[in-house]
């Protein structure tokens, strides 16, 4: 066990690292963040921050020598530096788990080899997308095999014109072509697993996306009880088969006509689990601390239905590419059932995740109604604040 008072290293300095650091510190740990590109949201709250690229072997080694365990908050970490760190200090989840989850070819091949339900797909190399589309049928979606997130590096193909454009855009990239799933809902389950093999899954979240970016998470997911149970069992089975020590988030589609298929795995806390901070017995970040440090896992019970709304840079007012007004935070702050979380990012940008808020305490319909109302009222320029 790596007990309180020890130091945890975090690769990546985004908001997930920030909320992880805050959870770790509240449990008495010290946190050292390693971030590539300048002072970061996580670095702003950590005990220490190293700003250096991943190929700076000396900086990475110095970082590894100051901590007792290392975890990460994003997937785009090259394999070699991560393995170098793992030779000095335990990395959890392991580099082998990250390697599977950070590349769509490996991830899908792993799901297939292990018999987990996944979306029908084909690998496409060097822009050779047409034959894959031919075999899968239209519509399809092309995704880069690596370095994609929040819908970046993706394109839906519904006809010949799209196909020509995709061939040009994805030239010289390794891609997967997936059949378009006619889903009823998107849900996700975050499952923690310890080194001893104990697993605990958080309740499934129902996720609504806008322009491929998570917009709203609704918990509990509005799905039949047996779907919820099947989703939890699927996530626990994946965590076990991966041998993950830490968290794994399993994003799934509930297909029209029934049946769950896995869309994506992430070996870390997830945007669709932010509601756990306010509405769950243990937050996903505390659970990550517990799992990577070998502490007993916390209970995952939902205190009350919850709705999480992402706050993107789009909530600011924009004029000619420049910020022209800030969201009206008082709309959210005045509401006793809402909790506002901002990530301390100095510069908003459209599509950039700046914060989120969670509404909880009432029943689900009430929480959803209030959350959507607050979302539209807090947008810059939504009208004067009333009482
Ligand atoms: P991803 O980055 O793979 O999670 O994709 C982002 C979002 O695009 C998903 O959450 C879905 O809303 C949508 N999407 C991705 N792949 C598919 C698919 N094969 N069929 C339908 N929708 C998809």
């Amino acid at each position: 066990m790596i007990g309180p008072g020890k130091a945890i290293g975090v690769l990546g300095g985004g908001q997930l690292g920030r909320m992880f650091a805050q959870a770790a510190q509240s449990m008495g740990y010290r946190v050292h963040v390693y971030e590539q590109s300048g002072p970061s949201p996580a670095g702003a709250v950590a005990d220490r921050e190293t700003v250096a690229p991943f190929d700076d072997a000396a900086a990475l080694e110095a970082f590894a020598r100051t901590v007792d365990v290392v975890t990460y908050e994003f997937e785009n970490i090259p394999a070699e530096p991560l393995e170098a760190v793992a030779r000095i200090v335990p990395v959890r989840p392991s580099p082998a788990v990250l390697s599977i989850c950070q590349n769509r070819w490996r991830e899908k091949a792993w799901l297939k080899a292990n018999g987990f339900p996944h979306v029908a797909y084909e690998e496409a190399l060097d822009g050779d997308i047409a034959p894959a589309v031919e075999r899968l049928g239209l519509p399809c979606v092309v995704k880069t095999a690596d370095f994609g997130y929040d819908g970046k590096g993706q394109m839906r193909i519904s006809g010949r014109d799209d196909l020509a454009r995709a061939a040009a855009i994805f030239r010289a990239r390794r891609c997967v072509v997936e059949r378009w799933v006619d889903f009823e809902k998107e849900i996700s389950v975050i499952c923690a697993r310890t080194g001893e093999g104990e697993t605990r899954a958080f309740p499934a979240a129902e996720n609504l996306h806008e322009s491929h970016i998570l917009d709203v998470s609704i918990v509990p997911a509005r799905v039949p009880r047996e779907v919820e149970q099947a989703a939890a069992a699927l996530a626990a089975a994946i965590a076990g088969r991966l041998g993950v020590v830490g968290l794994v988030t399993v994003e799934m589609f509930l297909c029209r006509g029934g049946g769950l298929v896995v869309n994506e795995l992430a070996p870390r806390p997830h945007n669709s689990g932010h509601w756990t901070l306010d509405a769950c017995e243990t937050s996903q970040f505390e659970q990550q601390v517990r799992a990577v440090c070998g502490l007993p896992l916390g209970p995952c019970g939902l205190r009350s239905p919850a709705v999480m709304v992402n706050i993107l840079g789009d909530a600011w007012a924009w004029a000619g590419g420049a910020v022209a007004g800030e969201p009206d935070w008082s709309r959210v702050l005045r509401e006793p059932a809402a909790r506002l979380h901002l990530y301390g990012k100095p510069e908003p940008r459209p599509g950039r995740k700046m914060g989120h808020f969670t509404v909880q305490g009432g029943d689900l319909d009430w929480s959803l109604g209030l959350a959507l109302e607050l979302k539209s009222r807090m947008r810059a320029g939504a009208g004067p604040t009333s009482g």
Side-chain angles (χ1 to χ4, degrees), residues 261-283:
V261 292
V262 176
N263 172 33
E264 217 180 1
L265 307 177
R268 54 167 174 77
H270 197 259
N271 193 170
S272 66
H274 288 355
W275 54 273
T276 59
L277 283 166
D278 300 307
C280 207
E281 290 170 310
T282 306
S283 81

Side-chain angles (χ1 to χ4, degrees), residues 10 36 48 68 130 188 205 225 294 336:
V10 185
Q36 297 179 89
R48 205 168 153 188
D68 299 284
S188 57
R225 182 89 191 110

Side-chain angles (χ1 to χ4, degrees), residues 104 119 141 143 149-151 154 178-183 186 209 212 251 253 263-264:
R104 291 187 199 269
V119 182
V141 53
K143 304 179 181 180
Y149 67 97
D150 285 345
Q154 294 194 16
E178 282 179 22
R179 184 171 295 152
W180 191 256
V181 177
D182 180 24
F183 60 78
E186 289 190 73
H209 292 80
H212 296 278
E251 291 183 61
F253 297 126
N263 172 33
E264 217 180 1

Side-chain angles (χ1 to χ4, degrees), residues 17 73 85 91 105-106 137 155-156 169 185 190 203 228 245 277 293 312 332 353 357 378:
E73 60 105 51
V85 171
V91 173
W105 279 12
R106 289 196 288 272
M155 190 179 155
R156 190 174 188 269
I169 290 170
K185 291 208 182 314
I190 299 165
E228 213 179 315
V245 178
L277 283 166
C293 290
L312 304 182
V332 181
K353 291 174 181 171
F357 67 87
M378 64 162 259

